[in-house]
Amino acid sequence: ECFYEKDYLNYRYHAKRFLYLCKIKEQLKQSPLIRAVRWSSFQNEARKPILLIYPAVKLIGNAEFVVRIIPTATSLFSATKLRLERNNIRNLKQGDALQATPRYNNSILEDMFLEGNAEFVKRTFSGWKELGEALILLKVWARQRSSIYAHDCLNGFLISVVLAFLATKPGRHHINSSMNTMQIFRITVDFIATSKTWDKGLFIQPQHEKASNKVNCFAMFGDYKLLEEDILTKKKCARDYKKMYLCFMINSYGKSFKDLIKK
């Protein structure tokens, strides 16, 4: 066991995470089955490197595949210690007061709940064709307006979590199986731009947890504070997103579609 109870402090978790990957890389480079092992980053976050594994087996034509090794830290720390209002970088102060470190805390929470989040999304999307098509459309919409690959940005996975939230009990089933792809798209964009839920964040209750355990609900979504700060707290930003949404819909489906998306 290389992790200790307080390794969530002062980048100790990230340092040990990196060391863990270094040892894996060292071993993999000795294998004749591996052609190359390279470094990359998870969602372009420099403090969270991942490994890209290129097998030695050659495929037909120019095709190739890459295996990504992404460490997770399920149940490694107490989620209470990583609440977004807490300070976990002790030299980050404003005067004598410690500053909150929400992005740092969320970086660790993301690893802790990565597997649970992925399972939640997979379970929700399974067998639901229209939901999957709406996700593709939303990713195109987001990609045309900003990078969804940059660190601390709205990305494809967060969009899928928002969709899964709206399609399940925590999101009051705003999306249901009777809707078509365009209806799901419209509801999701309107939710991102105007919902008051962002004032408190998205709480997704794991099925095996008690309703009173709000810490796990909180961490299941992870980056909601980031979305709130970067997109949704300012009315101007919300209006801009709605405007871009209208432009996208009109450009894609013609001006006659205006009447369908008026409030």
Side-chain angles (χ1 to χ4, degrees):
E1 182 65 48
C2 64
F3 287 100
Y4 297 103
E5 182 182 355
K6 293 190 176 182
D7 277 349
Y8 59 85
L9 293 170
N10 302 321
Y11 290 99
R12 291 204 291 262
Y13 164 75
H14 294 91
K16 289 186 176 182
R17 183 186 184 280
F18 175 61
L19 179 62
Y20 172 70
L21 288 175
C22 286
K23 297 300 291 184
I24 292 177
K25 181 181 180 182
E26 180 182 321
Q27 295 299 315
L28 288 175
K29 288 178 69 175
Q30 299 175 16
S31 172
L33 300 176
I34 305 300
R35 173 167 55 88
V37 183
R38 297 172 185 166
W39 290 105
S40 185
S41 59
F42 186 67
Q43 299 292 356
N44 284 316
E45 183 178 350
R47 62 191 163 198
K48 290 173 67 172
I50 62 174
L51 289 177
L52 303 181
I53 313 302
Y54 295 83
V57 177
K58 291 186 178 181
L59 302 179
I60 298 175
N62 295 323
E64 69 173 8
F65 70 94
V66 179
V67 177
R68 296 199 305 166
I69 296 182
I70 305 173
T72 60
T74 306
S75 303
L76 189 59
F77 304 115
S78 169
T80 305
K81 302 293 186 180
L82 294 162
R83 295 178 67 90
L84 299 191
E85 68 272 15
R86 291 182 65 99
N87 172 283
N88 286 312
I89 304 175
R90 293 298 188 245
N91 63 353
L92 187 63
K93 297 181 180 180
Q94 190 170 21
D96 293 330
L98 292 172
Q99 290 183 276
T101 54
R103 285 176 171 78
Y104 172 86
N105 299 353
N106 187 74
S107 177
I108 301 175
L109 284 171
E110 185 176 40
D111 282 4
M112 288 176 57
F113 291 91
L114 188 62
E115 293 182 52
N117 286 338
E119 179 58 32
F120 167 68
V121 171
K122 179 182 177 181
R123 185 171 61 248
T124 305
F125 276 76
S126 179
W128 195 339
K129 179 183 176 183
E130 291 79 10
L131 196 64
E133 291 175 346
L135 176 60
I136 294 172
L137 192 57
L138 284 161
K139 286 182 178 180
V140 173
W141 167 79
R143 191 178 295 117
Q144 289 183 345
R145 280 146 190 85
S146 65
S147 172
I148 63 172
Y149 302 108
H151 172 51
D152 276 357
C153 182
L154 182 67
N155 58 58
F157 181 70
L158 288 181
I159 294 173
S160 69
V161 172
V162 172
L163 274 172
F165 172 79
L166 292 175
T168 53
K169 184 178 179 180
R172 299 182 180 180
H173 295 285
H174 280 79
I175 295 172
N176 59 65
S177 57
S178 66
M179 295 178 179
N180 60 37
T181 301
M182 291 311 306
Q183 288 174 320
I184 295 173
F185 177 87
R186 290 165 52 202
I187 288 172
T188 306
V189 174
D190 183 68
F191 175 82
I192 291 174
T194 65
S195 177
K196 294 182 179 179
T197 304
W198 299 108
D199 294 338
K200 296 182 179 180
L202 303 186
F203 289 84
I204 302 172
Q205 178 68 48
Q207 291 183 350
H208 62 281
E209 297 286 350
K210 295 181 180 179
S212 61
N213 192 347
K214 289 191 175 182
V215 173
N216 278 356
C217 300
F218 179 91
M220 280 293 290
F221 183 67
D223 251 348
Y224 83 86
K225 279 288 184 182
L226 173 64
L227 286 170
E228 179 185 337
E229 291 169 6
D230 291 352
I231 299 173
L232 302 168
T233 51
K234 297 180 181 178
K235 291 183 178 180
K236 181 177 183 299
C237 291
R239 287 198 299 270
D240 289 344
Y241 259 68
K242 289 184 71 177
K243 182 178 179 182
M244 290 188 293
Y245 157 59
L246 293 175
C247 290
F248 174 78
M249 301 296 288
I250 293 167
N251 291 341
S252 299
Y253 297 95
K255 292 184 179 180
S256 61
F257 199 76
K258 273 186 178 180
D259 294 336
L260 296 177
I261 51 179
K262 283 182 179 178
K263 278 285 187 179

